[in-house]
Amino acid sequence: MPGPLLFSTNPFIKLLIQEKYRGDKHYVWCSESFDCTKISAYSGASLVAPSSNPAEIYRQLKEECKRSEKHSARIREMRTTIQALASQWEANKEISTSDKEEIFVMASDPDLATYWKPLIYAIPRALVDKRLVTVPLSKRASFGIEYNIPDLTRYEFDIIELD
Amino acid sequence: MLTAVKQFDRKTREGILAKLALELGNPFADSSRTEEKVSDQEIYIRILDEIKERLNLNRPSISNEFARARVFEYLGNEIRQLALDSNHIAEARRRLGNKGLLSSRGYTVKFGPEFIDLSEPLGLPRSDVASVIATADLIEHLLPDHKGQDESNAVSLFVKTYQHAPDPYSILVDGNRKGAEIAVRCGLRIFHSDVDVTNVRSPLDLLRAFIDRFGHEFSVAQKTGKFFLYETIQIASPMASQKLVEFRQDAGQSFDTLIAFRKAGQSAVEIGIAYVINISQYAASLLQHGIRVTRKDIKLG
């Protein structure tokens, strides 16, 4: 039986962008467990790949920010993705050119500790159950179930940071 | 410029590269977008081949984490060059600064005359304040436009707490934010044994708690209080003919007035932030905590 919470790990810059430039609608990928390695091996949630495990993403990002690791593969990939999205949003007239430029400036800021620090979103499942979109197996890194929520609002999740 | 896209105009190149980046893997966007039929597969293959060649990824494997990261970075740099005119960066940073979206290290820190005259001689060196801004535990960028005020009154508050010091304290910095610049107006070393910090959740809470303890009541054009934040106050007569801030001058006490305001026509002032500190009481407290106070203008009773 699924737990009452869903978990998603996201860098702070993504929260900022979705809050300030995307009408406070947050697109997230989430899992039924925060740390899929800590649950029964016979549970479906334990099959979530490390690259999609919120706890693992949190640990990696936290460490990379702490070390100010400019060559972090994850951050480089996310930075390019954010820039590509901003470019598409502008092309689709969803944001202005000024907005796009601001997103690019934030995404390329060398201060990793501020913009890329990881945040855990704790999402009460009951609030979003009807809007959960199961990620097709072809898009998952493993068999473990993952969800998308395309339009999470800021009132539907709490943010946790771990020391 | 990538040869594979050189026949296209700048905007089209940006669009093609952005789409390619999202095709390669997009943990943020709507997954249905990656289901789109890509009519441009051929050009994507040519772009990727060219990038791999340029990066000397001779045994290219996009599943290889290192190669993948290098390709992503290259794509990101190309997209940025096309999308962000270098002449626009300073202006974008200014806008981000006004919105409070720059990282703390992204702001240029300057020290206003109030800080130099009033705060620094209370044992708070500029280096400490710069460090607080760069590594603050709590930051609050107050937005004047939310209160219908001009952006010149933008207030930023920064707090760094030294909880594990033998005598725990926080440093609170009050600055005027102008684009990507913070002009520090006031810095306060606040000892937790002096001020009730039990319910402090934000820099503004801490400033209010400090004012509760060391603030002094004052009036702005007949309106009386200990603390004003983003208030527009009507004035009866032209400002030149009256003092903006008035308060009771208790004998043997000195006071510091911190006020950020602008005239709004002939009959109103927009207060950004305003408070008056009983500096005699505050300096006496700092001395008790062993802080070196070098200001000569303070009556210590």
Side-chain angles (χ1 to χ4, degrees), chain A residues 10-11 14 16 18 20-22 27-29 70-74 76-85 87-92 94 97-106 108-109 111 114-116 133 136 138-139 148, chain B residues 11 14-15 17-19 21-22 24-35 65-66 68-77 79-85 88-89 92-93 95-96 99 101-106 134 143:
Chain A
N10 299 277
K14 181 168 172 273
L16 276 184
Q18 303 209 264
K20 308 291 182 190
Y21 300 96
R22 303 293 292 162
Y27 186 93
V28 296
W29 285 54
K70 292 185 175 57
H71 301 297
S72 151
R74 184 177 289 275
R76 281 194 283 192
E77 194 167 319
M78 287 192 295
R79 178 183 288 132
T80 296
T81 300
I82 283 174
Q83 294 179 161
L85 280 169
S87 176
Q88 280 210 335
W89 293 333
E90 186 224 11
N92 296 339
E94 295 168 29
T97 302
S98 297
D99 291 343
K100 180 187 79 173
E101 289 174 347
E102 289 170 22
I103 292 171
F104 271 73
V105 168
M106 285 193 286
S108 52
D109 193 295
D111 187 353
T114 296
Y115 287 116
W116 297 95
V133 179
S138 61
K139 304 228 172 293
N148 291 151
Chain B
K11 198 73 196 162
E14 180 190 333
L17 297 179
K19 202 165 178 184
L22 296 176
L24 288 178
N26 175 6
F28 297 143
D30 184 341
S31 59
S32 67
R33 287 193 180 178
T34 57
E35 302 277 9
E65 194 184 325
F66 176 74
R68 183 181 164 90
R70 297 285 316 273
V71 169
F72 259 102
E73 184 173 39
Y74 193 97
L75 261 179
N77 289 340
I79 296 168
R80 186 163 55 251
Q81 279 176 26
L82 293 165
L84 182 61
D85 186 327
H88 294 185
I89 293 175
R93 287 177 56 77
R95 290 195 306 272
L96 286 170
K99 292 177 185 176
L101 295 179
L102 275 184
S103 70
S104 332
R105 291 176 198 274
L143 301 170

Side-chain angles (χ1 to χ4, degrees), chain B residues 30-45:
Chain B
D30 184 341
S31 59
S32 67
R33 287 193 180 178
T34 57
E35 302 277 9
E36 284 174 15
K37 288 284 178 210
V38 181
S39 56
D40 304 321
Q41 283 292 358
E42 193 188 325
I43 196 165
Y44 291 160
I45 291 165

